[in-house]
Amino acid sequence: IQLNHTLSNLLPPPGYNRQRPHVFAIQQSDGGVYLFQTVTGEQAYEWVSTCNYWAARTSKEGLPGGVGNMEYGWGHCLDDVVIDLDALDLTSAHNFYLQDPDSVMVNEWIPPSASMVSSTLAEREQFELLSKHLRELNNEINEHRDRKNKLIVKFPSKCHNYSQVITNWETRAHYLLHEIIKYQNYCDALEKSLEHKPLEPDNTEKLIYQTSQLDLFKEINQELHFNKSFL
């Protein structure tokens, strides 16, 4: 099983069933799930920790979404939406839009495929890169949630695009949340490993150069003169 972008978890009690209480699952990026049974709960925990660690080591961070003209319900179509922040009801007359919502061509949003190319970074570099990506994902999901109010104003339930827009928004929100959980597990696994590793000793010999106050040529001449006096 290729562990890139997988997420392993213990099945909560009673496990798979009462006869198989110690089971863990490996969820793949395409949604497929593998179930494995162990003899003890400790073994299942060790398997989960090991699988998540190597998934963290080999998985590359997701690529940023490309900028295109595809509209999913939260792009430029929301530029004409005006929201009264003091209004408690989003259906208030103070919230309005200019363009007809049914004139917008709304496409189906599909989650991007995860890269199966394995990372070759060192452990600490991988941890720093995934930590940065995790922060970006948190910012992204917050921005996505902030757009929902405008989205509801722009596409009321009576318009034809409402169902597709809401489905798109929920699909992307679910995807971002899953990515955050996955990369948080990756960062936790790498951080735990780094904490248990001793710092590498610095065996580099340090050479200290000092400026000599001696006149080298003068010293050589004196030495030659001293040697000649004994000839």
Side-chain angles (χ1 to χ4, degrees):
I1 299 176
Q2 192 172 6
L3 292 177
N4 299 48
H5 293 281
T6 61
L7 182 61
S8 300
N9 288 292
L10 291 171
L11 265 64
Y16 186 76
N17 53 36
R18 294 187 182 277
Q19 288 72 35
R20 298 176 179 177
H22 309 303
V23 176
F24 69 95
I26 299 180
Q27 183 179 0
Q28 296 186 300
S29 60
D30 60 0
V33 178
Y34 288 94
L35 298 178
F36 296 90
Q37 179 184 359
T38 61
V39 177
T40 65
E42 290 76 10
Q43 289 180 346
Y45 175 80
E46 289 297 327
W47 272 104
V48 167
S49 299
T50 302
C51 289
N52 282 335
Y53 171 79
W54 285 108
R57 286 298 307 271
T58 58
S59 300
K60 300 191 72 173
E61 78 283 6
L63 297 175
V67 178
N69 57 358
M70 300 285 284
E71 182 60 65
Y72 304 107
W74 51 75
H76 291 296
C77 68
L78 300 181
D79 292 345
D80 64 337
V81 178
V82 178
I83 292 182
D84 182 5
L85 298 179
D86 295 328
L88 299 178
D89 186 3
L90 290 176
T91 60
S92 169
H94 297 285
N95 302 323
F96 62 91
Y97 52 86
L98 301 177
Q99 185 184 8
D100 180 10
D102 285 329
S103 67
V104 180
M105 180 63 182
V106 179
N107 300 276
E108 179 185 4
W109 187 84
I110 300 175
S113 300
S115 173
M116 289 295 105
V117 178
S118 296
S119 173
T120 58
L121 295 177
E123 187 178 44
R124 185 168 295 279
E125 293 175 342
Q126 180 77 347
F127 170 69
E128 293 173 353
L129 186 65
L130 296 188
S131 297
K132 178 183 177 182
H133 185 60
L134 179 60
R135 291 191 295 270
E136 293 172 349
L137 286 172
N138 278 290
N139 293 333
E140 197 170 347
I141 197 172
N142 288 333
E143 293 175 358
H144 189 62
R145 288 168 175 166
D146 291 341
R147 294 191 189 103
K148 190 173 184 180
N149 286 343
K150 277 192 172 184
L151 185 145
I152 293 175
V153 171
K154 177 71 177 185
F155 300 97
S157 58
K158 61 183 179 181
C159 78
H160 296 297
N161 280 327
Y162 173 80
S163 178
Q164 184 63 65
V165 168
I166 294 299
T167 299
N168 284 347
W169 188 92
E170 291 178 348
T171 301
R172 187 165 185 262
H174 182 270
Y175 164 77
L176 291 173
L177 182 59
H178 179 270
E179 290 293 285
I180 289 172
I181 294 173
K182 180 180 72 176
Y183 282 104
Q184 184 64 64
N185 275 272
Y186 288 175
C187 290
D188 291 344
L190 292 174
E191 185 177 26
K192 183 178 180 181
S193 175
L194 290 169
E195 287 176 351
H196 287 79
K197 285 188 176 179
L199 295 176
E200 296 181 359
D202 186 5
N203 296 324
T204 305
E205 183 179 358
K206 296 181 179 179
L207 300 178
I208 301 176
Y209 295 92
Q210 296 180 346
T211 303
S212 175
Q213 300 297 326
L214 298 176
D215 187 335
L216 185 59
F217 292 102
K218 182 179 179 181
E219 291 295 320
I220 293 175
N221 287 330
Q222 289 179 353
E223 183 69 22
L224 290 175
H225 179 73
F226 178 79
N227 291 334
K228 286 180 180 180
S229 63
F230 287 93
L231 294 177

